[in-house]
Amino acid sequence: MAAPARSILRASRSARVAFAPGRFSSSQPTLKERLAQLIPAEIENVKAIRAEHGKKAFGPVVVDQLYGGMRGLPALIWEGSVLDAEEGIRFRGKTIPECQELLPRAPGGAEPLPEALFWLLLTGEIPTQEQVTGLSKDWAARSAIPEFVEEILDRCPPTLHPMSQFSLAVTALNHNSAFAKAYQDGVSKKEYWGPTFEDSMDLIAKLPNIAGRIYRNVFGDGKLPAIDPDKDYSHNLATLLGFGDNAGFVELLRLYITIHSDHEGGNVSAHTGKLVGSALSDPFLAFAASLNGLAGPLHGLANQEVLLWLRKMQSKIGENASDEAVKEYVWSTLKGGQVVPGYGHAVLRKTDPRYTAQREFALKHLPDDPLFKLVGQIYNIVPDILLEAGKAKNPWPNVDAHSGALLTHYGLTQMQFYTVLFGVSRAFGVAAQLIWDRALGAPLERPKSYSSSAIQKIFQGRT
Ligand SMILES: CC(C)(COP(=O)(O)OP(=O)(O)OC[C@H]1O[C@@H](n2cnc3c(N)ncnc32)[C@H](O)[C@@H]1OP(=O)(O)O)[C@@H](O)C(=O)NCCC(=O)NCCS
């Protein structure tokens, strides 16, 4: 359906107003000021590494990697987080429990504030409480979305998957991109990171209003409360979703966003953002591409799939099913040629510490929840079956095996929405990468592809 002409005019007029960054006086450096201090030394560091090691081989590439989704191919640089197959993720060298201990929290809260995690991802440093509060306020000040983006969302049919709506809205934010404008105005390469930083801050800040609007349009009455400039990011997101009064849910969101933010550079959403950003597409376009990757069932949509699978299981074998009945159901999934959602990983070879962090949260806040108990029962059953089936290299659960049970406990039962929350979180990692890529002058990504006949020719006569 075409928009009435008047509404288009009104929308474009409101959208033309540039996003206004928040400014807050403080004796301590803001995130942007701290980054500006760090960037010159990092440029020199990269130059030195390339001068010393740039021409050295970095392990062999085997043909299987070309056909096998580039598993294990060393191809990217990202300082923000590193994933060890046995240990799991570290954000700037810090494990999830270390982040829970070290990063500033909300008053009375026990979980880290995602604002602090973003600071850590960007700088490698733990921010002060004041710096984190400054970020919360800055994001609240930037949080409004243009009227025409609201209209795009309001026009989406409720049957359009929330992730598609999310991607549409983020793409449309590009209308006000500081980077796209600066590029058109002829900004020097050396200055790219500044407008990329502004766009990234706007992007993260606006996601609660987008996610909240999608949730309320699809599952509620479409009415949205206002952001509170004195509340932290997760609290405001919870409020927009209708759970702001639920302290447990707010704490869950703080943990959820923190642990879903980044998972080194090679996963589909992180890598897609970096790849698209390397063409100097602005952060809105680059992150919208990330979201489209996250929307796949082998990646972020797995959290939706886990809940669907659990619900199907319950409808088939009942709510307090025996281990035997669960085993049979898991086998029927595998025999039907489907994957067990929430299990396995392309890099990890142990239980995902993001799963463990969520399990610990559940043990503390909802130990008797029936769905949590089912998740635990499955944990005791699935790995042995995947090992016996003999295909999956990692039989252990990943982050998605747990998250839906926690959200369901607090009343967020609409599983089609779960990946949107993953997307809000993943913006933190993708945005941090984009800022550093522009600061370091990362080039256009352009790996080489080969045809099968070229491979055969290359190896002709060789054994
Ligand atoms: C995450 C995932 C995509 C990783 O894929 P991968 O790196 O190719 O994994 P593997 O090398 O272990 O795959 C080898 C085989 O085991 C299968 N396998 C892996 N995990 C499996 C699972 N959870 N259930 C059933 N089979 C699985 C693969 O489909 C593949 O089968 P194929 O040879 O017929 O193609 C895969 O484990 C998966 O599909 N998991 C379920 C979806 C999920 O939870 N995704 C979220 C990830 S954070």
Side-chain angles (χ1 to χ4, degrees), residues 13 23 37 43 72 85 94 148 155 186 191 194 243 257 289 296 305 319 321 325 330 346 351 423 448:
R13 255 201 312 271
R23 296 262 175 269
Q37 291 164 352
I43 290 174
K94 303 211 171 353
F148 85 97
R155 280 162 181 268
E191 308 301 329
F243 298 88
I257 296 174
E305 296 302 293
E319 290 212 349
V330 175
T351 296
K448 177 88 188 86

Side-chain angles (χ1 to χ4, degrees), residues 107-125:
E111 300 299 341
L113 287 168
E115 287 88 332
L117 194 272
F118 186 60
W119 190 293
L120 176 70
L121 283 177
L122 269 175
T123 65
E125 298 168 352

Side-chain angles (χ1 to χ4, degrees), residues 71 297-300 302 306 334 338-347 349 352 354 386 391-394 398-400:
R71 284 297 174 289
L298 295 188
H299 191 23
V306 167
L334 292 177
Q338 294 155 29
V339 294
V340 178
Y343 279 76
H345 198 271
V347 178
R349 294 297 175 258
D352 189 339
R354 299 173 300 173
L386 285 177
K391 265 192 174 184
K393 292 191 190 68
N394 176 35
N398 58 57
V399 67
D400 298 313

Side-chain angles (χ1 to χ4, degrees), residues 33 60 195-197 204 227 258 262 273 361 381 396 425 431:
E33 286 161 355
T196 303
F197 178 88
I204 293 173
I227 289 242
T258 298
D262 205 32
F361 185 95
I381 290 173
W396 302 105
S425 320

